[in-house]
Amino acid sequence: MMDELLKRDIILDHYQNPRNKREVNDGSYLKNHMAADSCIDDITVYVKIVDDKIEDIAFDGVGCTISTASTSIMTELLTEKTVDEALAIIGEYEKMIAEEDFDADKLAEANAFDTLSKQANRIKCGLIGIEGIKELLERYKDGKQ
Amino acid sequence: MMNKEKIRADFPMIQSEFEKGRIYFDSAATSFKPKCVIDKVVEYYTKESANIHRGDYDLSYQVSSEYETVRKLCAKFLNAKSENEIVFTSGASSSLNLVAYGYGQKFLKADDIILSTEAEHASNILPWFKVSEVTGARIEYIPLDKEGIFDLEAYKKVLSDLGNKIKVVTLAHVSNVLGNIVPIKEVTRLAHEVGAVVVCDGAQSVPHIKVDVQDLDVDFLCFSSHKMLGPSGVGVLYGKYELLDVMDPFMLGGGSNARFDICGNILLKNPPFKFEAGTPCVEGVLGFGEALKYLMDIGMENVEEEGRELHKYFLEEMLKLDNVIVYNPKSETSIVTFNVKDIFAQDVACYLNSQGIAVRSGNHCAKILLNVIGASETIRASLYLYNTKEEVDRAIEVIKGVTLEKCIGASI
């Protein structure tokens, strides 16, 4: 399990300096507005996929520390990955949140949330942006079929 | 002065292992229940299980009569003219929807005006959106002052501008975000001058301040049992009898009609029964009766005075903190809405939870208001008669020490 101070620093860093946080107005990006589940976090995610590969991911909106940092970390993790690789990483993250066995090596800084499952009221925060990305990746795959 | 120790001893939640050392500051969401209320609900299931208004046996008669006694008690609590002006519903939202549907959709026409404010709870504005969609009536908002507070002068101006086009004025008596008391008696007097009916959302006022419907002269008053020590699943629509009489019920079915025939003719019962189709939450109404007795034994004047004093103390202590922004420094009852500077409301609320303090973060279902006060999310701490100054002191100490690092630490 990741050291608690290190976890805190990672989350603080991604909250205060979120990566890839910007509004995107570009039709080549898939877009998902995640606001229906919660009246607090209001996050939009954008993914640009070229030939099954994630060329760019961004997000924007208002969120708490956990939703902002988890989304920020995941955008870094998934950039340049293929859609299937990205879905596999998200799968490991979901297992971690569900307290199942997971591959920590795949999650890098996202391991900062390895005890988030203990805080039932924050689980949704740790998933909102990431589930938004997952939906876009699945939409891409469905669209290809 | 209330005997706090005695009151706290009446609440099993406060005495429970889970709550020991914890502070519950979320009574605007729902209140704890005293033992008499809980016992009554259990008693219905263990000793009095029977439907009301139906059977020809002793128990059914007894339960029906207890159920109707609560209606009388509620009429007395509100100083209504008659118990026939008390409709039991499933909660304040249900009561508000019933008025919008049964009165608004029936009587409003295109170009009529529904007057409200930007501070309303979703349950008192969304039903009117629907009325507007169906009837073509339009919703106008009385401008709030810069702190989000109801402004009587602005209201008078709207009345003089729009006059008798206004058919309904619908307002919260006490805002669920800012805790300010709207001068509903004056609002009603002026509304009646232009011929409008007044719908008062009393969800946050009836539990805390004395509400006399004849004195206020409101046409409708809606509130929930669960915010005033009673069970959830029960609410009240008070309405003037002549208005209830012409209104449509929201639901039709058993208990609401006297007879019907194969041609589709329905003879509805008189109010309040025509609005109560189906088996109601009998145990909830009986429990609500105990809550009413509990509050009446203490006296609503005392509940109000104690509430104001505790609130004043909490507010004053909060206003002393440098790291806190209070959004309702002029509020009078129960609710303090705030943020810790530079920290997202939900993060602070989660940290407070880790310190045993229950508060609510978010936009509190009043999504338009937050644009007015300039904050997308806030923290709401709401107190009730079982809270103490000692709890306030402890909460203040914790709030004083909130940092972003601590907030993150509480989530990992």
Side-chain angles (χ1 to χ4, degrees), chain B residues 50-348:
Chain B
N51 211 332
I52 55 163
H53 306 148
R54 306 281 198 283
D56 289 316
Y57 47 98
D58 293 346
L59 201 52
S60 173
Y61 178 80
Q62 183 192 322
V63 174
S64 303
S65 127
E66 273 190 54
Y67 187 90
E68 290 309 316
T69 304
V70 177
R71 204 188 299 277
K72 287 187 187 119
L73 195 62
C74 186
K76 188 174 166 203
F77 182 79
L78 299 173
N79 191 33
K81 277 184 192 157
S82 150
E83 66 268 25
N84 292 331
E85 297 182 319
I86 305 297
V87 180
F88 289 125
T89 66
S90 69
S93 295
S94 158
S95 304
L96 290 160
N97 274 277
L98 174 52
V99 178
Y101 177 87
Y103 186 88
Q105 285 199 29
K106 185 169 184 187
F107 294 111
L108 267 56
K109 294 183 181 64
D111 295 329
D112 285 345
I113 290 171
I114 300 154
L115 195 56
S116 191
T117 77
E118 291 170 67
E120 299 310 308
H121 188 283
S123 292
N124 190 32
I125 198 72
L126 301 189
W128 295 102
F129 283 10
K130 191 72 191 170
V131 172
S132 170
E133 183 190 320
V134 172
T135 64
R138 70 175 201 275
I139 302 174
E140 293 284 343
Y141 297 93
I142 306 156
L144 300 167
D145 75 8
K146 60 183 187 305
E147 286 174 13
I149 307 291
F150 179 82
D151 180 344
L152 193 61
E153 292 311 310
Y155 171 62
K156 286 179 183 166
K157 183 164 185 314
V158 175
L159 288 180
S160 82
D161 289 349
L162 303 173
N164 59 11
K165 287 192 128 189
I166 304 166
K167 302 296 180 205
V168 170
V169 176
T170 184
L171 290 176
H173 192 184
V174 168
S175 152
N176 74 306
V177 184
L178 297 177
N180 58 295
I181 303 175
V182 169
I184 199 77
K185 185 175 174 176
E186 182 68 357
V187 166
T188 304
R189 190 182 67 76
L190 295 166
H192 287 167
E193 282 181 5
V194 299
V197 299
V198 173
V199 183
C200 180
D201 171 4
Q204 301 294 348
S205 64
V206 178
H208 296 280
I209 62 180
K210 188 166 173 52
V211 173
D212 176 328
V213 288
Q214 291 194 65
D215 177 49
L216 299 179
D217 202 27
V218 291
D219 300 288
F220 297 103
L221 175 74
C222 305
F223 58 97
S224 294
S225 146
H226 74 94
K227 293 189 203 290
M228 52 188 294
L229 312 181
S232 38
V234 175
V236 170
L237 166 64
Y238 156 83
K240 285 181 181 162
Y241 190 83
E242 60 274 23
L243 294 173
L244 292 178
D245 199 33
V246 296
M247 239 174 88
D248 281 345
F250 192 52
M251 294 198 306
L252 296 168
S256 70
N257 68 86
R259 50 187 55 82
F260 60 91
D261 63 27
I262 202 164
C263 305
N265 300 308
I266 307 173
L267 178 64
L268 287 174
K269 286 185 179 170
N270 290 327
F273 304 104
K274 73 171 180 181
F275 299 105
E276 295 181 9
T279 295
C281 181
V282 180
E283 76 283 19
V285 168
L286 301 186
F288 176 52
E290 294 304 309
L292 289 172
K293 280 186 218 161
Y294 189 89
L295 289 170
M296 287 161 98
D297 282 348
I298 295 171
M300 280 311 287
E301 296 84 356
N302 295 324
V303 171
E304 181 173 344
E305 189 190 326
E306 173 71 19
R308 281 177 189 265
E309 191 184 314
L310 188 62
H311 175 72
K312 186 164 171 271
Y313 180 70
F314 184 31
L315 189 58
E316 280 171 3
E317 294 301 308
M318 286 291 279
L319 289 169
K320 287 180 196 163
L321 300 183
D322 294 332
N323 64 331
V324 162
I325 306 162
V326 174
Y327 295 97
N328 58 345
K330 291 179 193 149
S331 64
E332 297 153 277
T333 63
S334 163
I335 293 168
V336 175
T337 296
F338 67 100
N339 266 322
V340 173
K341 286 177 188 162
D342 303 323
I343 310 183
F344 198 67
Q346 195 186 9
D347 291 312
V348 175

Side-chain angles (χ1 to χ4, degrees), chain A residues 52-119:
Chain A
D52 291 346
K53 196 169 160 191
I54 297 173
E55 202 162 84
D56 190 27
I57 307 191
F59 76 105
D60 196 23
V62 182
C64 65
T65 50
I66 303 301
S67 62
T68 304
S70 62
T71 311
S72 168
I73 289 170
M74 196 56 80
T75 62
E76 284 202 318
L77 265 177
L78 302 186
T79 306
E80 302 276 296
K81 298 283 188 294
T82 67
V83 170
D84 285 334
E85 284 165 349
L87 283 169
I89 290 170
I90 291 173
E92 294 306 315
Y93 182 85
E94 287 174 329
K95 284 188 213 164
M96 176 178 79
I97 300 292
E99 299 189 345
E100 292 165 13
D101 289 337
F102 69 101
D103 184 354
D105 292 342
K106 279 198 169 152
L107 292 182
E109 284 190 318
N111 282 296
F113 301 104
D114 61 7
T115 49
L116 189 69
S117 57
K118 309 290 177 214
Q119 313 298 330

Side-chain angles (χ1 to χ4, degrees), chain A residues 4-5 7-8 11-12 15-16 39-41 62-67 112-113 115-116 119 121-122 125, chain B residues 342-344 346-347 350-351 353 360-364 367 376-377 404-412:
Chain A
E4 207 163 287
L5 270 182
K7 288 201 261 194
R8 202 182 71 184
I11 295 171
L12 195 58
Y15 178 63
Q16 291 180 322
C39 63
I40 299 181
D41 295 300
V62 182
C64 65
T65 50
I66 303 301
S67 62
F113 301 104
T115 49
L116 189 69
Q119 313 298 330
N121 51 349
R122 303 312 296 269
C125 310
Chain B
D342 303 323
I343 310 183
F344 198 67
Q346 195 186 9
D347 291 312
C350 289
Y351 173 68
N353 171 54
R360 177 175 175 182
S361 71
N363 46 38
H364 320 296
K367 291 171 203 282
S376 68
E377 317 294 331
L404 185 55
E405 286 77 6
K406 284 184 187 172
C407 290
I408 293 173
S411 295
I412 54 176

